[in-house]
Amino acid sequence: MAIISKKKIPFTISQKLKTYLKKYKRTIAVPVEYESLLRYDNSIPLYDNEGVDTLWETVFYAQSDMNTIHHDLKQIYSEIKADGDISVMDHLMVDRVDICQYGNTKPFRVRIVNRINDNFDYFYIKNADASRIYGLELEHLLSPNRINYVVHKNTLIEEHIAGIPGDQFIKFHLKDKNLNETRLAKEFVKFNERCFVRLLGDMHSSNFVVNIIPDFEQISYRLKAIDFDQQSYEGRKNIYLPQYFKQNNALINMGLKYMTPESVRQYQKEERSLIANRLRVARYRVADLLNAMIDDTISFPRHVASLKADLADFYHEPKFLKCKNMGEIVKMSLWMVFKKTDMYNG
């Protein structure tokens, strides 16, 4: 089983990464930064509809600060949703601001409500961590999911990634009579492969969501990562394979029940082929990102040494041993998708 025993260390944004973010329009000026939201003077635990503690706390600001902060938060929402068109703000209100004290970046979650129809949406404000930004970019470029986020100085603003949290899906939806177990197991194999190729770690069931997609004859599923702090940070190969987290056992057992080793290899190859196609389409942008990552420090030498040894053994590829940092390991891992050899035979 994959176990992470220590809290992830955050890394500051390097100048080269800042240049990348500016080039690809990932930076904006916003009226409120992460540090500003820490000025709350009270908080209460947030419980779900079943009375269970969500581990989030709803924060409250002094009356003298609240109107300004709420206005600025609506301004940020208009920036990420409507390209700064403030006309969308008239019918919006900030319903709630929550903080998660247990997250690596201690994120704030802002709930925005439409007064006209009571529809609501969320976005997140976090301390910017270079690892997370690399993870968000790689997800945007190499997965089937588009990611909307922006950076201002040391503040990271992320759009909400909609879906049923994986742990809740496993708890409440696996007994659904309409569940297509074969398709769900197939999607888990493909998700497992996406995470491993781009080295996104810690994908236990609390760190991804499940989208249920009705088709004209069947139901399909999409698993989406929602936590990117563990992008190429840990030193053990199994951390980057969701199949090794005990929290995902129900999905793993489903795969063992409904798929043969041959079909698993087929889906792995299919996903690697899709990643290869995305790499070809976005090759210049991926190259810019990897160049920034190679010049950056996003892990520790002992983790680099351990991971490159694991991957060299797994792929039977000694070139991994020449990698000097996590950026070079990610680059080598992505290069492996173009190799014609079947990595999973023997």
Side-chain angles (χ1 to χ4, degrees):
M1 292 297 174
I3 299 175
I4 296 176
S5 58
K6 296 183 178 180
K7 194 171 183 179
K8 159 76 167 53
I9 303 297
F11 294 92
T12 58
I13 304 174
S14 68
Q15 186 56 52
K16 201 160 186 178
L17 180 55
K18 288 179 181 177
T19 300
Y20 172 91
L21 294 170
K22 185 175 181 180
K23 178 178 179 179
Y24 292 102
K25 312 302 182 186
R26 289 296 198 182
T27 58
I28 62 170
V30 295
V32 61
E33 300 177 24
Y34 176 86
E35 296 295 327
S36 304
L37 296 181
L38 294 174
R39 299 202 307 261
Y40 62 90
D41 58 8
N42 197 9
S43 68
I44 58 173
L46 179 64
Y47 298 92
D48 66 16
N49 293 333
E50 304 297 324
V52 178
D53 191 344
T54 64
L55 304 182
W56 288 81
E57 298 175 12
T58 298
V59 301
F60 302 93
Y61 297 92
Q63 193 65 36
S64 57
D65 285 339
M66 187 178 68
N67 290 338
T68 299
I69 288 176
H70 283 196
H71 177 275
D72 290 346
L73 291 174
K74 290 195 295 180
Q75 177 69 52
I76 291 175
Y77 186 76
S78 74
E79 290 284 353
I80 63 175
K81 288 292 188 177
D83 199 25
D85 182 0
I86 61 174
S87 65
V88 304
M89 295 171 53
D90 295 341
H91 58 279
L92 299 179
M93 60 173 285
V94 175
D95 181 55
R96 203 173 67 220
V97 179
D98 308 319
I99 187 172
C100 181
Q101 298 282 7
Y102 296 94
N104 286 326
T105 53
K106 294 187 177 180
F108 284 96
R109 180 178 63 194
V110 182
R111 176 174 158 122
I112 297 286
V113 174
N114 185 321
R115 286 194 181 95
I116 297 173
N117 54 23
D118 290 331
N119 192 29
F120 60 87
D121 194 7
Y122 297 96
F123 68 93
Y124 300 82
I125 299 179
K126 307 176 181 182
N127 256 327
D129 172 22
S131 302
R132 186 173 186 89
I133 292 173
Y134 286 120
L136 289 163
E137 271 297 297
L138 287 169
E139 178 77 1
H140 180 76
L141 296 172
L142 301 180
S143 84
N145 311 311
R146 303 281 68 80
I147 302 294
N148 189 13
Y149 75 93
V150 290
V151 178
H152 173 67
K153 297 181 181 178
N154 293 318
T155 297
L156 173 63
I157 300 159
E158 295 179 31
E159 188 177 61
H160 178 63
I161 300 174
I164 304 170
D167 52 351
Q168 297 298 306
F169 186 90
I170 290 172
K171 184 176 181 180
F172 296 111
H173 294 267
L174 288 190
K175 299 299 182 182
D176 190 325
K177 65 179 181 180
N178 295 316
L179 184 72
N180 190 320
E181 294 173 305
T182 302
R183 287 196 171 193
L184 180 58
K186 172 185 175 181
E187 171 58 18
F188 184 78
V189 170
K190 295 169 80 68
F191 176 69
N192 192 75
E193 202 65 14
R194 288 197 294 274
C195 294
F196 185 52
V197 166
R198 41 74 66 91
L199 297 178
L200 175 63
D202 199 25
M203 280 300 108
H204 57 76
S205 58
S206 297
N207 284 341
F208 62 82
V209 296
V210 182
N211 287 166
I212 302 173
I213 307 167
D215 202 349
F216 72 99
E217 286 186 339
Q218 294 285 349
I219 293 176
S220 294
Y221 304 89
R222 172 74 56 79
L223 270 59
K224 296 182 179 180
I226 58 173
D227 192 325
F228 301 93
D229 293 340
Q230 289 281 347
Q231 174 61 52
S232 49
Y233 172 76
E234 292 284 346
R236 289 167 292 158
K237 170 181 69 70
N238 289 359
I239 294 295
Y240 303 101
L241 287 158
Q243 71 188 62
Y244 286 111
F245 286 89
K246 65 181 181 180
Q247 296 93 330
N248 302 335
N249 278 350
L251 300 178
I252 297 162
N253 292 333
M254 193 175 293
L256 294 172
K257 180 178 179 181
Y258 288 99
M259 290 192 294
T260 64
E262 291 76 17
S263 61
V264 169
R265 283 194 290 272
Q266 174 195 336
Y267 298 142
Q268 289 170 327
K269 290 178 182 178
E270 286 180 6
E271 194 59 33
R272 283 180 174 260
S273 177
L274 290 170
I275 293 172
N277 289 336
R278 295 183 190 113
L279 276 169
R280 292 186 185 99
V281 171
R283 59 188 179 275
Y284 299 116
R285 182 165 175 173
V286 172
D288 285 346
L289 182 67
L290 291 176
N291 287 337
M293 186 182 285
I294 287 169
D295 282 350
D296 213 341
T297 299
I298 53 174
S299 189
F300 298 102
R302 66 182 184 276
H303 292 174
V304 172
S306 175
L307 183 58
K308 70 182 184 181
D310 278 1
L311 294 177
D313 181 63
F314 175 79
Y315 285 113
H316 309 294
E317 178 52 79
K319 290 181 180 179
F320 275 101
L321 299 175
K322 297 180 181 179
C323 295
K324 298 181 180 65
N325 53 50
M326 282 297 183
E328 291 188 356
I329 294 176
V330 172
K331 184 177 181 179
M332 189 68 196
S333 180
L334 295 180
W335 177 78
M336 295 303 293
V337 304
F338 294 108
K339 291 198 71 173
K340 303 299 182 183
T341 307
D342 182 0
M343 277 42 127
Y344 299 93
N345 288 336

